[in-house]
Amino acid sequence: GNITLALAGNPNTGKTSLFNLLTGSRQHVGNWPGVTVERKEGHFSYEGMNFTLVDLPGIYSLGAASIDEQVASEFLIKEKPELAITVVDASNLERSLYLVVQMLEAGQPLIIALNMADVAENKGIRIHREKLEKALGVPVVPTVARERKGLEDLVKRVKDRFENGVSLSLLAIPYGEKVEQSLDRIAKNVSSALLREANIDRRLASIKIAEGDPLIISMLEKLGEAKEVTAIVEEENERLELELGYDLLTAVIERRWNFISAITQKVAERNLSLKKNLS
Ligand code: GDP
Ligand code: K
Ligand code: MG
């Protein structure tokens, strides 16, 4: 069979470089349906396994703030790639982790390619690979795409995931009691029709609704549930404004960044003596 892999990550993290190295000349370029965003798809084989790799547009978060975000988010939700290779810029770990965390919350199985390891080193930044793996519960493979480094390891880890079965690494971020109360209330009020249509569980539905995810909102509208759910979100926003001083969406984003910042502090080490002397 053929296994579909998505290549995701922030802009300029090395996705296309990795894509080209992995697929070589076995690639074709088209457009995503309805938009003029380039869609690159390629193929590679490794030890008898055949993979299709889709190079997603570079984005900082899942959502609909741009066409690129819409294209990437819809691909992940609708086509459910069996595994994503999420490219992370090792020299910009904190910023890169937001997308990783969102993908994990969405139940997307993934492997992190910790790229730009050379740039990080020049900046005196060391990432503890094993600590990062532990903190997120996913494999992390250091790569330097520009120098073809780490590719073999990356492909091996991809293959391992399929040999050992791709486990769903659901990540539960601690949003705090007051926010959890809101998420629970929203979760209780979505229909099983919505969960079926979106193919997600209650908690994820509530997080996506809190984020105003356009795909979920349009599904709610189609099912005639949008008004009721919006009213609940507005009530929860009012409550949180009183209790926390900000609304549900702000709370979700802030707690995610707190979670990411705590991880970054644990796994990234700044060592000035590692820094190459540029003078
Ligand atoms: P994309 O926007 O994520 O597709 O990133 P690209 O693959 O286009 O890479 C952006 C730039 O970073 C290009 O100039 C690459 O040559 C360079 N690049 C990619 N990987 C590495 C790496 O590991 N180290 C360094 N120093 N540069 C890299
Ligand atoms: K680019
Ligand atoms: Mg690219």
Side-chain angles (χ1 to χ4, degrees):
N2 208 303
I3 296 166
T4 300
L5 307 174
L7 197 56
N10 295 169
N12 293 314
T13 50
K15 292 179 302 303
T16 300
S17 304
L18 281 173
F19 178 84
N20 289 337
L21 288 172
L22 289 169
T23 63
S25 58
R26 298 177 64 192
Q27 47 176 267
H28 35 100
V29 182
N31 274 324
W32 293 89
V35 292
T36 54
V37 179
E38 187 179 85
R39 177 185 166 127
K40 269 188 169 180
E41 197 176 292
H43 305 278
F44 68 94
S45 305
Y46 183 74
E47 293 187 351
M49 288 182 127
N50 300 315
F51 299 97
T52 296
L53 186 63
V54 180
D55 189 16
L56 296 179
I59 52 171
Y60 292 100
S61 66
L62 299 175
S66 64
I67 300 286
D68 285 353
E69 278 192 12
Q70 274 175 48
V71 163
S73 307
E74 285 202 15
F75 180 81
L76 293 174
I77 290 173
K78 289 185 176 164
E79 298 198 32
K80 298 203 173 296
E82 286 168 81
L83 185 70
I85 298 173
T86 306
V87 186
V88 158
D89 178 349
S91 72
N92 250 312
L93 183 68
E94 187 156 7
R95 186 178 70 183
S96 296
L97 287 183
Y98 194 83
L99 179 65
V100 171
V101 160
Q102 266 190 320
M103 289 174 75
L104 288 175
E105 270 195 302
Q108 172 63 55
L110 63 87
I111 283 184
I112 292 177
L114 190 62
N115 198 42
M116 305 273 182
D118 57 331
V119 181
E121 193 187 323
N122 289 341
K123 282 189 180 173
I125 297 168
R126 216 198 117 193
I127 313 288
H128 291 262
R129 186 186 60 83
E130 285 174 15
K131 283 186 189 171
L132 184 58
E133 286 190 333
K134 241 191 176 162
L136 293 171
V138 298
V140 174
V141 184
T143 57
V144 182
R146 188 178 264 178
E147 296 165 22
R148 306 180 142 264
K149 278 189 189 156
L151 280 183
E152 176 87 11
D153 276 347
L154 183 64
V155 175
K156 264 192 196 140
R157 295 297 285 271
V158 168
K159 184 184 160 246
D160 281 353
R161 276 297 274 228
F162 287 99
E163 279 186 346
N164 304 323
V166 175
S167 59
L168 208 65
S169 17
L170 265 183
L171 185 73
I173 291 182
Y175 284 111
E177 205 181 314
K178 292 186 167 77
V179 174
E180 291 293 348
Q181 219 175 303
S182 299
L183 293 174
D184 280 350
R185 193 174 160 216
I186 295 166
K188 281 196 190 100
N189 281 281
V190 297
S191 68
S192 17
L194 176 85
L195 304 179
R196 262 198 314 276
E197 167 100 5
N199 198 10
I200 55 180
D201 68 14
R202 271 182 200 284
R203 169 151 181 103
L204 183 54
S206 70
I207 291 171
K208 285 186 176 293
I209 289 166
E211 290 184 295
D213 183 289
L215 209 64
I216 297 296
I217 303 297
S218 73
M219 285 177 191
L220 284 170
E221 277 162 4
K222 220 174 75 187
L223 292 165
E225 297 175 33
K227 251 192 179 159
E228 194 193 329
V229 172
T230 306
I232 291 168
V233 172
E234 274 166 15
E235 276 177 35
E236 290 306 307
N237 278 339
E238 277 170 30
R239 183 178 64 82
L240 292 176
E241 289 274 6
L242 284 175
E243 293 180 2
L244 296 173
Y246 39 82
D247 66 8
L248 180 57
L249 176 60
T250 309
V252 164
I253 293 173
E254 201 209 62
R255 302 289 148 84
R256 272 194 193 132
W257 280 118
N258 289 345
F259 179 80
I260 288 164
S261 161
I263 290 179
T264 307
Q265 277 175 35
K266 226 188 303 177
V267 308
E269 188 186 325
R270 268 187 181 276
N271 186 340
L272 293 180
S273 66
L274 280 175
K275 190 165 170 169
K276 285 194 182 149
N277 198 338
L278 300 174
S279 61

